[in-house]
Structures are given as structure tokens and as C-alpha cells.
Amino acid sequence: MNKTNREEFFRRLRELDPHPTTELEYETPFELLVAVILSAQATDVGVNKATRRLFPVANTPQKILELGEDGLKDYIKTIGLFNSKAKNIIKTCRDLVDKHDGVVPDDRAELEALAGVGRKTANVVLNTAFGQPTMAVDTHIFRVANRTGLAPGKTPLAVEKALLKRVPEAYLKDAHHWLILHGRYTCKARKPLCGQCPVYDLCRWRQKGRYFEETQPVGS
């Protein structure tokens, strides 16, 4: 996808959704960090159901430490991999209290040093909580970037680096959310809604035509 089309791609997504954000429910950087750790291999809907119970009781590192690992599990046991996630969250809370005065750092290296926090999680927190122009490449963004020709790459890191170079600067801070939402609701993995896609004509995917007619809105 050339520079002109990339600019138009994001212009249209911004026009449809001027202020995109995560679908995880949170009020503080710490709540977001916990929610993102819980969201690995889980849906945002499932995470939100758990955190709606957890956060009114414990929404700071110290309060979660007071719950303890077993107490935390009672709130997150509906989420996949909850045992390992509980262990990581407790370790993260201990590090936050001991090394950061209970405050979530806005530095990549310090975030990635926390238990259960990899590059993708750090990017989400840096972007969503602190407004930094990072790109957290999940399965949705990886698919959209490769399918559309926006920023092809064989690995999430390669796609991340390509997007940071190719997304126009004016759209970079919010691009992460636009791409996730586009992949989640329009450019789906199994049956993309090409007939309803706002950037269909800009997309470079060779197979898009086969999905166009069958996914057009009724009456179009």
C-alpha cells in the first residue's frame, strides 16, 4: 500500500471512530495493566466480567497483595490460564510496591521487567495509559497489516516496526486501536466483511473479492 493510500486508510477509520480506545474496562494505569495481563488468550468481555468483581475490592498493588494468590484466583478463575496469571500478577504487584512505590512505570524496559509483561502488554499500557505512539501487534493487527498490504511482516515484531514507519504521524497514537477494532469486527479471520469494509478499495488482499458480494449489507 502506497503512502497516499495509507493516509486515506487511516483518515477513513478516524472519520468513523474519532476517539478509539481499548474495550478493556479500567480507570487507572494499574487497572489497565492487570486487565491486559488477564487478556492473554482470553476475550475482553471475559476479562471485564472478572475485573468488575475484582477492582471494587482490590485495584492497587497493595490491595491485591493483601488478597494473596489464592484470593486473587477466586476473582479470575473464569479466565483461561488463571493460575499462571494470578502468580504473575502477584509478582508484578510485589515489584511495583518494592521498586516503583506502587506506581506503574511509563518506561518500556521497566514494564517488561515485570512478571507476565511482554512487549505487547507493555505497548498497550504505554499507548493506552500514557499516550505514547506504540503499536501492540496482536493477532488482529498482524492479520490486518498483512492482508491489506499496510505493513506486511512475517513476525509480530516485524509488523510492529513496519507500522511505526508507515503509519502517518498524525494517526500513529490511535492507529493501534483502529487496527484492532477493524480486525475484530470487519477484517475477521474466517469470514471478513469485505462488503462492509470502509477501506475495501485500498486493500491489497487478493482474496477480498470472494467475500465482497456475500457480506454486503441488505439493500446495497
Side-chain angles (χ1 to χ4, degrees):
M1 191 181 296
N2 62 37
K3 182 178 180 180
T4 300
N5 285 353
R6 293 197 299 270
E7 182 83 28
E8 179 63 13
F9 183 98
F10 285 103
R11 188 198 67 77
R12 293 183 193 177
L13 294 184
R14 182 173 66 180
E15 187 175 62
L16 291 170
D17 187 1
H19 305 290
T21 189
T22 179
E23 293 186 315
L24 292 171
E25 296 173 0
Y26 76 99
E27 292 186 0
T28 66
F30 177 71
E31 289 185 357
L32 177 65
L33 175 61
V34 170
V36 177
I37 292 173
L38 292 174
S39 71
Q41 299 183 45
T43 66
D44 288 359
V45 171
V47 172
N48 289 338
K49 286 180 180 178
T51 57
R52 283 172 198 156
R53 296 178 57 242
L54 172 64
F55 289 157
V57 175
N59 67 340
T60 67
Q62 186 59 49
K63 287 180 180 178
I64 286 186
L65 287 174
E66 290 169 3
L67 272 183
E69 190 173 324
D70 288 338
L72 177 58
K73 287 179 183 178
D74 286 340
Y75 288 94
I76 66 170
K77 59 188 177 183
T78 55
I79 299 174
L81 307 175
F82 72 92
N83 285 311
S84 61
K85 290 176 182 178
K87 184 175 295 185
N88 283 333
I89 289 171
I90 291 294
K91 287 180 180 178
T92 283
C93 288
R94 174 55 60 197
D95 283 344
L96 288 173
V97 169
D98 292 346
K99 301 176 183 178
H100 302 284
D101 297 321
V103 177
V104 175
D106 60 358
D107 175 81
R108 176 187 299 283
E110 291 180 342
L111 279 170
E112 290 186 16
L114 300 172
V117 178
R119 186 177 184 87
K120 184 175 73 173
T121 297
N123 278 336
V124 173
V125 174
L126 290 171
N127 178 265
T128 306
F130 300 113
Q132 296 186 22
T134 59
M135 194 69 61
V137 178
D138 67 352
T139 55
H140 297 303
I141 291 183
F142 187 80
R143 178 173 66 255
V144 171
N146 276 286
R147 260 188 191 168
T148 62
L150 181 65
K154 293 183 178 180
T155 67
L157 182 58
V159 169
E160 176 187 333
K161 290 180 177 179
L163 284 169
L164 290 173
K165 287 182 180 179
R166 296 184 180 187
V167 175
E169 186 175 355
Y171 302 100
L172 192 54
K173 187 176 78 69
D174 292 322
H176 159 249
H177 296 299
W178 282 318
L179 293 173
I180 284 179
L181 295 171
H182 186 65
R184 183 173 290 166
Y185 296 112
T186 302
C187 194
K188 300 178 181 181
R190 294 186 180 180
K191 190 176 180 181
L193 304 180
C194 295
Q196 301 172 39
C197 178
V199 291
Y200 177 84
D201 57 312
L202 306 173
C203 177
R204 306 287 292 176
W205 191 34
R206 293 181 179 178
Q207 299 182 51
K208 66 179 183 179
R210 62 182 288 201
Y211 294 99
F212 182 80
E213 292 294 337
E214 61 187 82
T215 60
Q216 281 191 295
V218 176
S220 62

